[in-house]
Amino acid sequence: MSERDTKDDDDKEEGKGHSGQESGASKETKQQGKDAKQSGQKDNDASSDKDGNQDKEASNKDDDSDHSSRKDAGNKDDDGSDGNDDDSGGSDDDDVIKVARTPTDPSLLSQLKHSQQFRHAKGLGSGRTGAAIWSVQRLTALALIPLAIWFAVSVVLLTHASHTDAVHWLASPVRAVLLALFIVIALRHAVIGLTIILEDYVRGYALRTACVLVLKGAALVIAAAVIAALIHLTFA
Amino acid sequence: MSRPISPHLTWYKPQITSVLSIMHRFTGIALAAGALALAWWVVAVAIGGEVFTGTTAVYTSVIGQIVLALWTLALAFHMSNGIRHLCWDAGWGFQMRQVRSSGWLTLAMTVILTALVWVFVLLV
Amino acid sequence: MAELTLPTNSRVQKGKTWKHEGKAKHLRKFEIYRFDPARDALPRLDTFEVDMDDCGPMVLDVLLKIIDETDPSLAVRRSCREGVCGSCAMNINGKNGLACLTHVDDLPRGSIRLSPLPHLEVIKDLVGSLSRLYAQYEMIQPWLKSDEAPPERERLQLPEDRDKLDGNSECILCFCCATACPSYWWTGDKYLGPAILLQAHRWLVDSRDDHTGERLDQLDDSYRLYRCHTIMNCTSACPKGLNPAEAIADTKRMLAKRR
Ligand code: HEM
Ligand code: SF4
Ligand code: SF4
Ligand code: FES
C-alpha cells in the first residue's frame, strides 16, 4: 500500500479524535446498504468496474450495458460529502486525473483506495475449478475409508513377514488390485490436500507452481513404481 | 507500510475446533510421508534380496515400529476426523454443541481404532 | 510465504499502567492494545485499573469510562451499544466478540486483554481497517438481481421461502467471524471469508433472485470459497449466533450438485 493511501485513512479516521472513531464502520455499512439498494442489477463479475450508483431507471437485466455505466463509476461517495456527480457524464477519467493532481483530497483518495481494493477482490475472475477439485477430494476420502482400514491392518501384519510370505501375499490378484487402488486413490487424495496446503502458505505464484509440479511428479513416480512392482510380482 | 497488523495466531484462543483442524492437516502430511515408506516396501518386495532384508530390518527395528505405530495413530485420527468432515460436507453436525462433541468423539475413536489395530496384530 | 508471525513493526511492546486512585472493592485490570500512528513506531499494551462498582457491566462501558475519565485519546468504534450495529467488535481475551454484549463478570478472573480484530491493519488502538472486507462485500453484489419486470408493489415471496433467509439476514457485518478465521488470516486477499460468504449465501437462497447460477460461477474458485477448511472458528465467534460455516458448506453442496 502506498504512503498516500495510508495517509488518507489517517486523515479521515484519526482526525476526528475518539468521539468520531466509531462512525467509520457503521457509516460505511450504511453506505453499502444504500449502494445496494440504488444499484440496478447488472454488471456481472468479469466486466463491471464499479457497481454502485446506477440511475434508478436503469433496467435490471441487460448485462452488456456496463459500458454505459462507466460514466457513473467515479461517484462513489464514500465520505458522504457532495459526491453526487452522476450527471457529469464521462467524468470517470477526469476523476482519476484529479486524484493524481490533488493527492491530499481525502474523499477522492478513499474512493481510489476503495476501487483499488474492489478490483483486487475481483482479480482475474473466478478460477471455476473449486467445485471439481473439492468433489474429487470428498470422493477419494470416501473410497479411502475401507481401503485404508484394510491396508493399515495388512501392513502392520506384514512388516514382520519373510520374503516368501510377502511375495505370496502380494501375488494374489485381488490383493494386488486393492493395493494398486489404494495407492492411486491415496496419492490423488494426498496431492489435492498437499496442494491446498501449499496454496494456503506459499504466496509466490512461481514458487507455488513449482512445488505443485514437483508434488504431482513425485506422486506419478510413486504410483508407477508400485504398480510396476505389483505387475512384476503377479506375473513373475 | 508503517501500519501494524493486529495480533492473530498467537493471541487467538485455541479451541477444540481449531486444534483438531490443524491436527487434521499435520496428520494428512504425516500420512503422505508414510505412504512413501509403504510404497517403498512394495517395491522392495519386488526387488527382493538384500534390498528387502535391509528394508525389513529398518521397519522391524524399535524405531521403525514406533514410527509405524504413530502412522496408524495418524491414520486413525485423520480417518475419524475425515468422516467428521464428510458429515459436515453433507450438512450434518454444524451446531457448536455437536461440533464440540463430535470433536471429542473423534479423539476417542482415534484411540480405540489404533488400539484395535494393534491388539488385532498382536493376537493374530 | 504467508507470514505466520507478526512483522517487526507489529510486535506488541509493554506499555504504561494507569493505576486506579483511591479505594475500590472490585478492581479489574484491562490490558488494552494501543497504537497511534501519529506518535508510535510500535504498538504497546497499556494496563488500566477500573473500579467495577463504579462502572457499567459491559466491556464497552469500561472502555467508555476509560475514555471519559482516564485517557481520552483511546480510540474505539461503537454506536448502538446493544449488539445491532456491529461497530464494537474486538478481540476480548483471545476470542472475538462485541464489547457491548460481553459482560465483564462473565470473563475469568485476572486481567482482561483487549485488542483489535485479528490480522487487520491497525488504524488506531482498537480500530482495525475494514476496507478490504467492504470491497469484498461489494464484489458479491449484495442486492437482489431479478429478471422480472419491477412489480407494482413489493416482490412476492412464499413464507417458507422467506424462512430460508433466516440465519443469513440477521448478520450485522461485525466481522468477528472473518477475523477469527485462520484461512482468512493467511489468504484474505483472495479468500472471501465467512462473513462475506454468509452474505453471498443469503442471495443464493433468495427465491426472488434470478442470478443464482452466475453467483455460483463467481464463487467456484479454489480461493474465494474453497479456502474454508471447516475450522469452525467463525461460528464459534459469531455474537449473533449465526453459522457461517454451515452456509459455506451449503454453498459448496450447491456447487457440487449442479456439476
Ligand atoms: C482413511 C480415510 C481418509 C479420509 C476419510 C480422509 C478425509 C479427508 C478429508 C475430508 C480432507 C479434507 C479436509 C479439509 O477440507 O480441510 C482430507 C485432507 C487431507 N488428506 Fe485425507 N483422508 C483419508 C486418508 C488420507 C490418506 C491415506 C492421506 C495420505 C496419503 C491423506 C492425506 C490428506 C492430506 C494431505 C489432506 C490435506 C489436509 C489439509 O488440507 O489440511 N488422507 N482428508
Ligand atoms: S469454517 Fe471456514 S470460514 Fe469458518 S473459520 Fe473455518 S475456514 Fe474459516
Ligand atoms: S456472521 Fe456473525 S460474526 Fe460474522 S459478520 Fe455476521 S454477525 Fe458478525
Ligand atoms: S456498539 Fe453496536 S454492536 Fe456493540
Side-chain angles (χ1 to χ4, degrees), chain C residues 170-178 195 198 234 237-240 242 244:
Chain C
E170 301 91 324
C171 171
I172 56 174
L173 290 180
C174 65
F175 302 122
C176 282
C177 54
L198 178 68
C234 53
C238 178
K240 305 299 282 184
L242 307 182

Side-chain angles (χ1 to χ4, degrees), chain A residues 12 27-28 31 34 75-84 107 110-111:
Chain A
K12 201 177 134 210
K27 192 177 68 195
E28 276 182 87
Q31 207 59 49
K34 199 170 101 197
N75 68 4
K76 187 160 188 66
D77 41 355
D78 271 347
D79 52 330
S81 67
D82 52 5
N84 209 343
S107 72
S110 93
Q111 190 178 300

Side-chain angles (χ1 to χ4, degrees), chain C residues 70-236:
Chain C
T70 318
D71 181 2
S73 74
L74 175 64
V76 176
R77 279 191 183 113
R78 61 109 177 90
S79 178
C80 68
R81 61 96 185 93
E82 57 184 8
V84 292
C85 74
S87 309
C88 67
M90 61 183 67
N91 188 280
I92 303 167
N93 268 351
K95 281 186 81 171
N96 291 349
L98 297 175
C100 67
L101 291 191
T102 306
H103 266 281
V104 175
D105 283 348
D106 288 348
L107 300 169
R109 307 203 152 277
S111 56
I112 292 155
R113 191 163 68 176
L114 306 177
S115 57
L117 289 176
H119 209 288
L120 295 179
E121 278 177 37
V122 180
I123 293 172
K124 192 178 176 212
D125 298 339
L126 295 174
V127 179
S129 167
L130 299 172
S131 41
R132 186 175 66 192
L133 282 147
Y134 288 127
Q136 290 175 319
Y137 185 43
E138 185 178 353
M139 197 200 96
I140 58 135
Q141 306 187 316
W143 53 81
L144 186 73
K145 305 214 290 181
S146 171
D147 287 346
E148 278 172 18
E152 288 280 305
R153 297 183 45 185
E154 69 272 33
R155 287 177 201 277
L156 297 177
Q157 187 173 39
L158 292 171
E160 52 267 40
D161 284 334
R162 170 60 188 79
D163 287 348
K164 292 184 186 143
L165 304 184
D166 286 352
N168 296 270
S169 55
E170 301 91 324
C171 171
I172 56 174
L173 290 180
C174 65
F175 302 122
C176 282
C177 54
T179 56
C181 170
S183 268
Y184 195 73
W185 297 342
W186 315 138
T187 52
D189 57 331
K190 293 186 193 160
Y191 175 42
L192 295 177
I196 308 304
L197 288 172
L198 178 68
Q199 287 317 299
H201 183 259
R202 182 244 171 279
W203 294 101
L204 286 172
V205 296
D206 192 317
S207 63
R208 299 161 299 179
D209 194 273
D210 287 317
H211 288 237
T212 315
E214 286 94 325
R215 291 181 188 278
L216 285 173
D217 286 346
Q218 207 194 43
L219 295 173
D220 186 6
D221 180 273
S222 61
Y223 282 95
R224 286 179 179 176
L225 170 67
Y226 289 93
R227 280 308 102 184
C228 172
H229 305 309
T230 329
I231 303 169
M232 297 297 295
N233 266 15
C234 53
T235 301
S236 145

